[in-house]
Every structure is written in structure tokens, then in C-alpha cells.
Amino acid sequence: MKKIIVFASGSGTNAENIIKYFAKTQIANVVSVFTNNASAKVIERAKNHQIPVEIFSKNELLERNVLQKIQEIDPDLIVLAGFLLKFPENIIEKYPNKIINIHPALLPNYGGKGMYGMHIHRAIVNNKEKETGISIHYVNENYDEGGIIFQKNVALTEDDTPETVAEKIHELEQKYFPEIIQAVLEDSAKENSN
């Protein structure tokens, strides 16, 4: 059984969706949720599924504390699901191509520092974009610049607001993120067996 760690900073709807999805499979389990926000709703969601939670500060992330906790777990995949801090290079170096993130836009558009959540959806509406979507990508040392694994787009209308865009994106995230995580795990298993 593969081991997944999920990093999240906020409400944790994607994290919970991933937990529930893999609880029904024989492929992997979410073994821990890490958060930098002691009041994040993801903590309660994880505990409702008996998933251990690690709460840490930004300093602990940048020093070796978080890396050590990850190494104790020895995960097959680290999934960022609404995690807002820049991921440190010491963890990226230890887990090359084993850290993935979901971004609520079609990268390379609307990526980079400060581009998350409603900031993105407002920019997309203000720019009168005809479509948006999600990007699932590997994490490297730069915000939103790692290799893209999967993208899915959704059409927008003139009537869309940042809130309706957020709903459309959330639907895509809930449907595709767990499936793509599973595909990444299966691909890496194939590579390791060759």
C-alpha cells in the first residue's frame, strides 16, 4: 500500500476528497496531513477520518523539522492541496518527482507568487477570459513552474463571477485530482518494477 502525505493550509475540501477516495482503494492511503495553519478546517476534516495531523510553523518548514517528519513516514507521494507556502528546496531535493500540486488555473497563465484562490478567479473574470481550468503539476523550486502532468479546462460565460468560477474549478478539482494522483502512483510503480 502506497503512502500519501497531504499538505494543506485551509478548509481542506480537496484533502478530504483525496482521503475518502483512497480509503476505498487498495492502492494507497493518506497517512498524514501537514498544515502550517493551526486554525485550518483541514485539521478537523483529517481527524474525522482518523488521519494524524502535523502542525508546523513557516520556520519549521524551512529548517529541517518538517523534512525529518516526512522522512520518518517515508511517503510514496506528497500532495499539495491548497498549500500556500513555497515548498522548500531541501524537501524537493529529497523527493524529486514525488511532490505534486493542483493549481486553479491553466498554467503557465495565472501562476506565480500571490496567485491562489479567489485572487486567480477575480483576475480571470476581470480579464474576460473565455475559459479557465485546473493544472496538476510536479513541484520544483519555483511557484507553479514544475512539469505539468494534467490540465482540464472549463468554458466561461460573460455572466460568470469569481464565485461561479470558483465553483466550476472546485468541481474539476474534486473529480480529477484523486484520479490523477492514482495515475501518478501507478506510473511510478510501473517504472520501479522495470
Side-chain angles (χ1 to χ4, degrees):
M1 190 74 96
K2 303 274 187 189
K3 292 186 282 191
I4 301 169
I5 296 177
V6 176
F7 277 73
S9 298
S11 76
T13 53
N14 274 321
E16 185 170 43
N17 188 41
I18 293 163
I19 291 166
K20 286 178 171 173
Y21 179 93
F22 284 101
K24 296 185 208 134
T25 74
Q26 298 300 309
I27 297 153
N29 271 327
V30 175
V31 293
S32 188
V33 169
F34 282 56
T35 184
N36 60 306
N37 178 355
S39 57
K41 192 155 174 27
V42 72
I43 296 167
E44 184 187 324
R45 290 181 193 272
K47 288 187 172 163
N48 287 342
H49 295 279
Q50 288 78 50
I51 306 290
V53 177
E54 291 285 348
I55 302 168
F56 57 88
S57 68
K58 188 173 182 178
N59 282 346
E60 287 173 317
L61 180 67
L62 297 175
E63 291 158 13
R64 296 195 55 82
N65 312 44
V66 173
L67 175 59
Q68 282 170 332
K69 286 179 176 160
I70 293 171
Q71 287 178 300
E72 284 164 21
I73 294 169
D74 189 27
D76 296 281
L77 196 65
I78 298 170
V79 175
L80 312 189
F83 184 67
L84 299 183
L85 295 180
K86 190 164 189 278
F87 224 60
E89 289 186 30
N90 66 348
I91 301 176
I92 294 167
E93 283 166 11
K94 279 271 188 283
Y95 295 93
N97 292 329
K98 287 194 172 182
I99 308 169
I100 66 173
N101 180 45
I102 191 161
H103 187 77
L106 296 170
L107 292 172
N109 301 330
Y110 301 100
K113 190 170 169 49
M115 290 309 272
Y116 61 90
M118 293 307 284
H119 298 287
I120 294 173
H121 307 322
R122 276 193 281 275
I124 281 168
V125 169
N126 291 342
N127 291 338
K128 300 186 176 7
E129 297 285 1
K130 298 275 190 280
E131 65 173 15
T132 185
I134 57 170
S135 301
I136 299 170
H137 64 94
Y138 289 108
V139 174
N140 68 9
E141 62 280 359
N142 300 315
Y143 276 114
D144 304 323
E145 289 182 18
I148 290 174
I149 302 164
F150 174 85
Q151 289 186 308
K152 184 72 182 172
N153 58 336
V154 62
L156 300 177
T157 70
E158 289 172 11
D159 300 329
D160 271 311
T161 64
E163 289 73 23
T164 61
V165 172
E167 285 170 21
K168 288 180 176 184
I169 291 298
H170 189 66
E171 278 180 29
L172 293 179
E173 290 174 337
Q174 295 279 299
K175 176 168 175 23
Y176 291 104
F177 201 15
E179 292 176 4
I180 298 304
I181 293 167
Q182 179 174 336
V184 168
L185 286 168
E186 287 171 347
D187 284 351
S188 74
K190 277 185 210 140
E191 281 168 27
N192 293 339
S193 67
N194 288 346

